[in-house]
Amino acid sequence: MAIWGKMFGGVAGFAVGGPFGALMGAALGHAADSGSLLNPPSGGWSERFPAKGRPDPNNAAFFGAAKVAAALGKRDQLYAIGLVALCAKMAKIDGPVNRQEINAFKACFQFPPDNTREVGMLFDRARERTDDFEMYGRELGRAYANNSEPLETLLGALFRIARADVAPGNALHPKETDFLKRLHKAFGLPPGAWDRAESGGTRAATGNEPDAYRVLGIVRTASDQEVRVRWRTLMREHHPDVLAQKPMTDAERAKAQDRIARINAAWDRIKRDRQL
């Protein structure tokens, strides 16, 4: 994923804000001060997946930054940090992080080999606490309120990590289930997103379809009632009986019919997604 290079490359000069910047600053600053990259914590990512070579903890160009643009509209950086943090907390929520969970994370998100140690450092730092995950979820939910697909992708990955060390047919640990439900709510995702993530599906299968909310001309965060009212308004404006009273060429009539078909298709997708 391209976000890794943006997350760790050229972070100097960025301002920090919110829980994401605090986590990144703490992870990098701690590594710089204590040399923990040279002595990673027992049982951590770095111990299981060592990167080639060892960075210089005194390299001010990298560690001196210790800041990422998480609160200045830099959504790629925010998503990258939140993704690593939530995956780490998911792995830790039911007990010690194990190899299966880390393997599942690495399988879900590909990042350049050059950034393996930085990702691992952030992962190890994030797993130190698990009681703050909803804070990250709410921040991501606000940042991606009008584009929830990345959040659905992340929720699906979290399900995969949760199941990594569970025998087929067995239920998730209660703490994992609670984690996922509360994060789904914090993301502000509709019921359909939970069903897709739980079943291993994503919105990618419908990636060629136009965005239903854009077709209706309404924001994704609109209430069920607001979406319904908007659909009814458009239907009244573009109803065939209304159009029949207007002088139109064949091409214009065909375009109008396509428009009403797209409006209905968008409404049907939103109904399924929100389980209305």
PDB file of all heavy atoms in Angstrom, residues 71-101:
ATOM      1  N   ALA A  71      -3.501  15.342  11.903  1.00  0.00           N
ATOM      2  CA  ALA A  71      -4.669  16.181  12.165  1.00  0.00           C
ATOM      3  C   ALA A  71      -4.765  17.372  11.221  1.00  0.00           C
ATOM      4  O   ALA A  71      -5.493  18.301  11.484  1.00  0.00           O
ATOM      5  CB  ALA A  71      -4.610  16.683  13.607  1.00  0.00           C
ATOM      6  N   LEU A  72      -4.039  17.347  10.134  1.00  0.00           N
ATOM      7  CA  LEU A  72      -4.054  18.477   9.213  1.00  0.00           C
ATOM      8  C   LEU A  72      -4.575  18.075   7.843  1.00  0.00           C
ATOM      9  O   LEU A  72      -4.113  18.544   6.823  1.00  0.00           O
ATOM     10  CB  LEU A  72      -2.634  19.064   9.080  1.00  0.00           C
ATOM     11  CG  LEU A  72      -2.035  19.621  10.366  1.00  0.00           C
ATOM     12  CD1 LEU A  72      -0.633  20.134  10.111  1.00  0.00           C
ATOM     13  CD2 LEU A  72      -2.907  20.736  10.916  1.00  0.00           C
ATOM     14  N   GLY A  73      -5.558  17.200   7.816  1.00  0.00           N
ATOM     15  CA  GLY A  73      -6.116  16.786   6.546  1.00  0.00           C
ATOM     16  C   GLY A  73      -5.284  15.749   5.836  1.00  0.00           C
ATOM     17  O   GLY A  73      -5.572  15.383   4.700  1.00  0.00           O
ATOM     18  N   LYS A  74      -4.234  15.228   6.454  1.00  0.00           N
ATOM     19  CA  LYS A  74      -3.380  14.225   5.837  1.00  0.00           C
ATOM     20  C   LYS A  74      -3.978  12.856   6.131  1.00  0.00           C
ATOM     21  O   LYS A  74      -3.511  12.114   6.984  1.00  0.00           O
ATOM     22  CB  LYS A  74      -1.957  14.327   6.400  1.00  0.00           C
ATOM     23  CG  LYS A  74      -1.339  15.707   6.235  1.00  0.00           C
ATOM     24  CD  LYS A  74      -0.870  15.912   4.805  1.00  0.00           C
ATOM     25  CE  LYS A  74       0.061  17.117   4.695  1.00  0.00           C
ATOM     26  NZ  LYS A  74      -0.623  18.381   4.783  1.00  0.00           N
ATOM     27  N   ARG A  75      -5.019  12.496   5.398  1.00  0.00           N
ATOM     28  CA  ARG A  75      -5.771  11.289   5.729  1.00  0.00           C
ATOM     29  C   ARG A  75      -4.968  10.016   5.500  1.00  0.00           C
ATOM     30  O   ARG A  75      -5.187   9.016   6.183  1.00  0.00           O
ATOM     31  CB  ARG A  75      -7.071  11.230   4.930  1.00  0.00           C
ATOM     32  CG  ARG A  75      -8.058  12.317   5.299  1.00  0.00           C
ATOM     33  CD  ARG A  75      -9.449  11.962   4.879  1.00  0.00           C
ATOM     34  NE  ARG A  75      -9.530  11.547   3.492  1.00  0.00           N
ATOM     35  CZ  ARG A  75     -10.624  11.018   2.943  1.00  0.00           C
ATOM     36  NH1 ARG A  75     -11.702  10.845   3.665  1.00  0.00           N
ATOM     37  NH2 ARG A  75     -10.637  10.666   1.671  1.00  0.00           N
ATOM     38  N   ASP A  76      -4.054  10.018   4.538  1.00  0.00           N
ATOM     39  CA  ASP A  76      -3.271   8.809   4.308  1.00  0.00           C
ATOM     40  C   ASP A  76      -2.421   8.464   5.520  1.00  0.00           C
ATOM     41  O   ASP A  76      -2.342   7.312   5.936  1.00  0.00           O
ATOM     42  CB  ASP A  76      -2.366   8.982   3.078  1.00  0.00           C
ATOM     43  CG  ASP A  76      -3.134   8.882   1.771  1.00  0.00           C
ATOM     44  OD1 ASP A  76      -4.256   8.341   1.799  1.00  0.00           O
ATOM     45  OD2 ASP A  76      -2.623   9.339   0.749  1.00  0.00           O
ATOM     46  N   GLN A  77      -1.761   9.478   6.081  1.00  0.00           N
ATOM     47  CA  GLN A  77      -0.949   9.226   7.263  1.00  0.00           C
ATOM     48  C   GLN A  77      -1.822   8.794   8.437  1.00  0.00           C
ATOM     49  O   GLN A  77      -1.480   7.871   9.171  1.00  0.00           O
ATOM     50  CB  GLN A  77      -0.159  10.486   7.645  1.00  0.00           C
ATOM     51  CG  GLN A  77       0.982  10.810   6.685  1.00  0.00           C
ATOM     52  CD  GLN A  77       0.550  11.802   5.624  1.00  0.00           C
ATOM     53  OE1 GLN A  77      -0.621  11.883   5.270  1.00  0.00           O
ATOM     54  NE2 GLN A  77       1.507  12.554   5.099  1.00  0.00           N
ATOM     55  N   LEU A  78      -2.946   9.478   8.609  1.00  0.00           N
ATOM     56  CA  LEU A  78      -3.846   9.149   9.708  1.00  0.00           C
ATOM     57  C   LEU A  78      -4.328   7.708   9.586  1.00  0.00           C
ATOM     58  O   LEU A  78      -4.351   6.958  10.557  1.00  0.00           O
ATOM     59  CB  LEU A  78      -5.025  10.125   9.697  1.00  0.00           C
ATOM     60  CG  LEU A  78      -6.049  10.018  10.827  1.00  0.00           C
ATOM     61  CD1 LEU A  78      -6.612  11.408  11.126  1.00  0.00           C
ATOM     62  CD2 LEU A  78      -7.189   9.093  10.465  1.00  0.00           C
ATOM     63  N   TYR A  79      -4.699   7.321   8.381  1.00  0.00           N
ATOM     64  CA  TYR A  79      -5.203   5.957   8.160  1.00  0.00           C
ATOM     65  C   TYR A  79      -4.112   4.926   8.432  1.00  0.00           C
ATOM     66  O   TYR A  79      -4.363   3.889   9.061  1.00  0.00           O
ATOM     67  CB  TYR A  79      -5.707   5.821   6.731  1.00  0.00           C
ATOM     68  CG  TYR A  79      -6.315   4.478   6.410  1.00  0.00           C
ATOM     69  CD1 TYR A  79      -7.546   4.108   6.954  1.00  0.00           C
ATOM     70  CD2 TYR A  79      -5.671   3.583   5.566  1.00  0.00           C
ATOM     71  CE1 TYR A  79      -8.118   2.883   6.661  1.00  0.00           C
ATOM     72  CE2 TYR A  79      -6.241   2.354   5.268  1.00  0.00           C
ATOM     73  CZ  TYR A  79      -7.469   2.012   5.805  1.00  0.00           C
ATOM     74  OH  TYR A  79      -8.025   0.791   5.521  1.00  0.00           O
ATOM     75  N   ALA A  80      -2.900   5.213   7.979  1.00  0.00           N
ATOM     76  CA  ALA A  80      -1.810   4.269   8.164  1.00  0.00           C
ATOM     77  C   ALA A  80      -1.499   4.042   9.639  1.00  0.00           C
ATOM     78  O   ALA A  80      -1.345   2.902  10.087  1.00  0.00           O
ATOM     79  CB  ALA A  80      -0.558   4.775   7.443  1.00  0.00           C
ATOM     80  N   ILE A  81      -1.431   5.128  10.388  1.00  0.00           N
ATOM     81  CA  ILE A  81      -1.135   5.000  11.812  1.00  0.00           C
ATOM     82  C   ILE A  81      -2.286   4.294  12.529  1.00  0.00           C
ATOM     83  O   ILE A  81      -2.078   3.392  13.337  1.00  0.00           O
ATOM     84  CB  ILE A  81      -0.893   6.391  12.443  1.00  0.00           C
ATOM     85  CG1 ILE A  81       0.305   7.070  11.773  1.00  0.00           C
ATOM     86  CG2 ILE A  81      -0.636   6.246  13.941  1.00  0.00           C
ATOM     87  CD1 ILE A  81       0.452   8.528  12.140  1.00  0.00           C
ATOM     88  N   GLY A  82      -3.518   4.700  12.219  1.00  0.00           N
ATOM     89  CA  GLY A  82      -4.663   4.067  12.853  1.00  0.00           C
ATOM     90  C   GLY A  82      -4.777   2.599  12.502  1.00  0.00           C
ATOM     91  O   GLY A  82      -5.154   1.777  13.344  1.00  0.00           O
ATOM     92  N   LEU A  83      -4.459   2.263  11.273  1.00  0.00           N
ATOM     93  CA  LEU A  83      -4.520   0.871  10.826  1.00  0.00           C
ATOM     94  C   LEU A  83      -3.571   0.000  11.653  1.00  0.00           C
ATOM     95  O   LEU A  83      -3.964  -1.040  12.184  1.00  0.00           O
ATOM     96  CB  LEU A  83      -4.144   0.828   9.348  1.00  0.00           C
ATOM     97  CG  LEU A  83      -4.164  -0.495   8.591  1.00  0.00           C
ATOM     98  CD1 LEU A  83      -4.380  -0.218   7.105  1.00  0.00           C
ATOM     99  CD2 LEU A  83      -2.863  -1.259   8.767  1.00  0.00           C
ATOM    100  N   VAL A  84      -2.325   0.429  11.760  1.00  0.00           N
ATOM    101  CA  VAL A  84      -1.344  -0.345  12.530  1.00  0.00           C
ATOM    102  C   VAL A  84      -1.767  -0.416  13.996  1.00  0.00           C
ATOM    103  O   VAL A  84      -1.713  -1.484  14.623  1.00  0.00           O
ATOM    104  CB  VAL A  84       0.059   0.277  12.409  1.00  0.00           C
ATOM    105  CG1 VAL A  84       1.051  -0.482  13.286  1.00  0.00           C
ATOM    106  CG2 VAL A  84       0.532   0.258  10.964  1.00  0.00           C
ATOM    107  N   ALA A  85      -2.192   0.718  14.545  1.00  0.00           N
ATOM    108  CA  ALA A  85      -2.559   0.760  15.959  1.00  0.00           C
ATOM    109  C   ALA A  85      -3.717  -0.183  16.261  1.00  0.00           C
ATOM    110  O   ALA A  85      -3.674  -0.959  17.220  1.00  0.00           O
ATOM    111  CB  ALA A  85      -2.921   2.190  16.364  1.00  0.00           C
ATOM    112  N   LEU A  86      -4.767  -0.139  15.442  1.00  0.00           N
ATOM    113  CA  LEU A  86      -5.948  -0.956  15.722  1.00  0.00           C
ATOM    114  C   LEU A  86      -5.680  -2.436  15.488  1.00  0.00           C
ATOM    115  O   LEU A  86      -6.204  -3.284  16.223  1.00  0.00           O
ATOM    116  CB  LEU A  86      -7.122  -0.481  14.861  1.00  0.00           C
ATOM    117  CG  LEU A  86      -7.692   0.878  15.275  1.00  0.00           C
ATOM    118  CD1 LEU A  86      -8.745   1.356  14.276  1.00  0.00           C
ATOM    119  CD2 LEU A  86      -8.287   0.812  16.683  1.00  0.00           C
ATOM    120  N   CYS A  87      -4.874  -2.756  14.502  1.00  0.00           N
ATOM    121  CA  CYS A  87      -4.513  -4.168  14.292  1.00  0.00           C
ATOM    122  C   CYS A  87      -3.703  -4.704  15.474  1.00  0.00           C
ATOM    123  O   CYS A  87      -3.898  -5.847  15.902  1.00  0.00           O
ATOM    124  CB  CYS A  87      -3.733  -4.331  12.986  1.00  0.00           C
ATOM    125  SG  CYS A  87      -4.748  -4.167  11.494  1.00  0.00           S
ATOM    126  N   ALA A  88      -2.819  -3.869  16.001  1.00  0.00           N
ATOM    127  CA  ALA A  88      -2.029  -4.285  17.162  1.00  0.00           C
ATOM    128  C   ALA A  88      -2.918  -4.490  18.382  1.00  0.00           C
ATOM    129  O   ALA A  88      -2.772  -5.467  19.128  1.00  0.00           O
ATOM    130  CB  ALA A  88      -0.950  -3.238  17.459  1.00  0.00           C
ATOM    131  N   LYS A  89      -3.846  -3.580  18.593  1.00  0.00           N
ATOM    132  CA  LYS A  89      -4.732  -3.678  19.747  1.00  0.00           C
ATOM    133  C   LYS A  89      -5.689  -4.862  19.592  1.00  0.00           C
ATOM    134  O   LYS A  89      -6.048  -5.517  20.582  1.00  0.00           O
ATOM    135  CB  LYS A  89      -5.493  -2.361  19.918  1.00  0.00           C
ATOM    136  CG  LYS A  89      -4.576  -1.187  20.279  1.00  0.00           C
ATOM    137  CD  LYS A  89      -5.313   0.132  20.308  1.00  0.00           C
ATOM    138  CE  LYS A  89      -4.355   1.312  20.422  1.00  0.00           C
ATOM    139  NZ  LYS A  89      -3.531   1.305  21.646  1.00  0.00           N
ATOM    140  N   MET A  90      -6.110  -5.138  18.357  1.00  0.00           N
ATOM    141  CA  MET A  90      -6.958  -6.303  18.102  1.00  0.00           C
ATOM    142  C   MET A  90      -6.220  -7.586  18.469  1.00  0.00           C
ATOM    143  O   MET A  90      -6.773  -8.487  19.107  1.00  0.00           O
ATOM    144  CB  MET A  90      -7.344  -6.331  16.625  1.00  0.00           C
ATOM    145  CG  MET A  90      -8.138  -7.545  16.173  1.00  0.00           C
ATOM    146  SD  MET A  90      -9.895  -7.455  16.576  1.00  0.00           S
ATOM    147  CE  MET A  90      -9.976  -8.462  18.047  1.00  0.00           C
ATOM    148  N   ALA A  91      -4.955  -7.667  18.061  1.00  0.00           N
ATOM    149  CA  ALA A  91      -4.161  -8.854  18.343  1.00  0.00           C
ATOM    150  C   ALA A  91      -3.943  -9.049  19.840  1.00  0.00           C
ATOM    151  O   ALA A  91      -3.859 -10.182  20.329  1.00  0.00           O
ATOM    152  CB  ALA A  91      -2.814  -8.760  17.624  1.00  0.00           C
ATOM    153  N   LYS A  92      -3.867  -7.949  20.567  1.00  0.00           N
ATOM    154  CA  LYS A  92      -3.546  -7.999  21.997  1.00  0.00           C
ATOM    155  C   LYS A  92      -4.778  -8.158  22.883  1.00  0.00           C
ATOM    156  O   LYS A  92      -4.670  -8.608  24.035  1.00  0.00           O
ATOM    157  CB  LYS A  92      -2.803  -6.703  22.372  1.00  0.00           C
ATOM    158  CG  LYS A  92      -2.426  -6.567  23.840  1.00  0.00           C
ATOM    159  CD  LYS A  92      -1.368  -7.581  24.261  1.00  0.00           C
ATOM    160  CE  LYS A  92      -0.928  -7.315  25.696  1.00  0.00           C
ATOM    161  NZ  LYS A  92       0.070  -8.300  26.157  1.00  0.00           N
ATOM    162  N   ILE A  93      -5.963  -7.831  22.372  1.00  0.00           N
ATOM    163  CA  ILE A  93      -7.144  -7.689  23.228  1.00  0.00           C
ATOM    164  C   ILE A  93      -7.490  -8.969  23.982  1.00  0.00           C
ATOM    165  O   ILE A  93      -8.029  -8.928  25.088  1.00  0.00           O
ATOM    166  CB  ILE A  93      -8.367  -7.218  22.385  1.00  0.00           C
ATOM    167  CG1 ILE A  93      -9.481  -6.690  23.294  1.00  0.00           C
ATOM    168  CG2 ILE A  93      -8.875  -8.320  21.482  1.00  0.00           C
ATOM    169  CD1 ILE A  93      -9.176  -5.393  23.948  1.00  0.00           C
ATOM    170  N   ASP A  94      -7.184 -10.139  23.406  1.00  0.00           N
ATOM    171  CA  ASP A  94      -7.550 -11.404  24.060  1.00  0.00           C
ATOM    172  C   ASP A  94      -6.365 -12.098  24.724  1.00  0.00           C
ATOM    173  O   ASP A  94      -6.467 -13.243  25.141  1.00  0.00           O
ATOM    174  CB  ASP A  94      -8.196 -12.355  23.050  1.00  0.00           C
ATOM    175  CG  ASP A  94      -7.250 -12.734  21.923  1.00  0.00           C
ATOM    176  OD1 ASP A  94      -6.305 -11.954  21.639  1.00  0.00           O
ATOM    177  OD2 ASP A  94      -7.434 -13.813  21.314  1.00  0.00           O
ATOM    178  N   GLY A  95      -5.220 -11.401  24.813  1.00  0.00           N
ATOM    179  CA  GLY A  95      -4.053 -12.012  25.435  1.00  0.00           C
ATOM    180  C   GLY A  95      -2.792 -11.668  24.670  1.00  0.00           C
ATOM    181  O   GLY A  95      -2.805 -10.793  23.793  1.00  0.00           O
ATOM    182  N   PRO A  96      -1.675 -12.338  24.955  1.00  0.00           N
ATOM    183  CA  PRO A  96      -0.411 -12.045  24.275  1.00  0.00           C
ATOM    184  C   PRO A  96      -0.537 -12.183  22.758  1.00  0.00           C
ATOM    185  O   PRO A  96      -1.228 -13.065  22.249  1.00  0.00           O
ATOM    186  CB  PRO A  96       0.542 -13.104  24.851  1.00  0.00           C
ATOM    187  CG  PRO A  96      -0.050 -13.456  26.171  1.00  0.00           C
ATOM    188  CD  PRO A  96      -1.529 -13.391  25.981  1.00  0.00           C
ATOM    189  N   VAL A  97       0.139 -11.291  22.042  1.00  0.00           N
ATOM    190  CA  VAL A  97       0.150 -11.341  20.589  1.00  0.00           C
ATOM    191  C   VAL A  97       0.943 -12.568  20.147  1.00  0.00           C
ATOM    192  O   VAL A  97       2.019 -12.853  20.678  1.00  0.00           O
ATOM    193  CB  VAL A  97       0.792 -10.066  20.008  1.00  0.00           C
ATOM    194  CG1 VAL A  97       0.873 -10.143  18.495  1.00  0.00           C
ATOM    195  CG2 VAL A  97       0.011  -8.836  20.457  1.00  0.00           C
ATOM    196  N   ASN A  98       0.400 -13.308  19.180  1.00  0.00           N
ATOM    197  CA  ASN A  98       1.100 -14.510  18.720  1.00  0.00           C
ATOM    198  C   ASN A  98       1.432 -14.421  17.238  1.00  0.00           C
ATOM    199  O   ASN A  98       1.039 -13.489  16.534  1.00  0.00           O
ATOM    200  CB  ASN A  98       0.256 -15.760  19.009  1.00  0.00           C
ATOM    201  CG  ASN A  98      -1.119 -15.696  18.379  1.00  0.00           C
ATOM    202  OD1 ASN A  98      -1.251 -15.456  17.184  1.00  0.00           O
ATOM    203  ND2 ASN A  98      -2.158 -15.913  19.181  1.00  0.00           N
ATOM    204  N   ARG A  99       2.171 -15.405  16.763  1.00  0.00           N
ATOM    205  CA  ARG A  99       2.663 -15.408  15.387  1.00  0.00           C
ATOM    206  C   ARG A  99       1.517 -15.425  14.375  1.00  0.00           C
ATOM    207  O   ARG A  99       1.583 -14.764  13.334  1.00  0.00           O
ATOM    208  CB  ARG A  99       3.581 -16.610  15.154  1.00  0.00           C
ATOM    209  CG  ARG A  99       4.152 -16.691  13.743  1.00  0.00           C
ATOM    210  CD  ARG A  99       5.099 -17.854  13.593  1.00  0.00           C
ATOM    211  NE  ARG A  99       6.291 -17.686  14.413  1.00  0.00           N
ATOM    212  CZ  ARG A  99       7.368 -17.008  14.012  1.00  0.00           C
ATOM    213  NH1 ARG A  99       7.384 -16.432  12.830  1.00  0.00           N
ATOM    214  NH2 ARG A  99       8.422 -16.910  14.798  1.00  0.00           N
ATOM    215  N   GLN A 100       0.466 -16.207  14.680  1.00  0.00           N
ATOM    216  CA  GLN A 100      -0.649 -16.279  13.727  1.00  0.00           C
ATOM    217  C   GLN A 100      -1.280 -14.913  13.504  1.00  0.00           C
ATOM    218  O   GLN A 100      -1.644 -14.554  12.384  1.00  0.00           O
ATOM    219  CB  GLN A 100      -1.721 -17.251  14.233  1.00  0.00           C
ATOM    220  CG  GLN A 100      -1.266 -18.703  14.314  1.00  0.00           C
ATOM    221  CD  GLN A 100      -0.868 -19.081  15.725  1.00  0.00           C
ATOM    222  OE1 GLN A 100      -0.108 -18.349  16.365  1.00  0.00           O
ATOM    223  NE2 GLN A 100      -1.380 -20.209  16.211  1.00  0.00           N
ATOM    224  N   GLU A 101      -1.407 -14.130  14.569  1.00  0.00           N
ATOM    225  CA  GLU A 101      -2.026 -12.814  14.449  1.00  0.00           C
ATOM    226  C   GLU A 101      -1.143 -11.856  13.659  1.00  0.00           C
ATOM    227  O   GLU A 101      -1.635 -11.078  12.826  1.00  0.00           O
ATOM    228  CB  GLU A 101      -2.318 -12.260  15.849  1.00  0.00           C
ATOM    229  CG  GLU A 101      -3.421 -13.034  16.569  1.00  0.00           C
ATOM    230  CD  GLU A 101      -3.487 -12.743  18.049  1.00  0.00           C
ATOM    231  OE1 GLU A 101      -2.432 -12.457  18.666  1.00  0.00           O
ATOM    232  OE2 GLU A 101      -4.598 -12.804  18.609  1.00  0.00           O
TER     233      GLU A 101
END
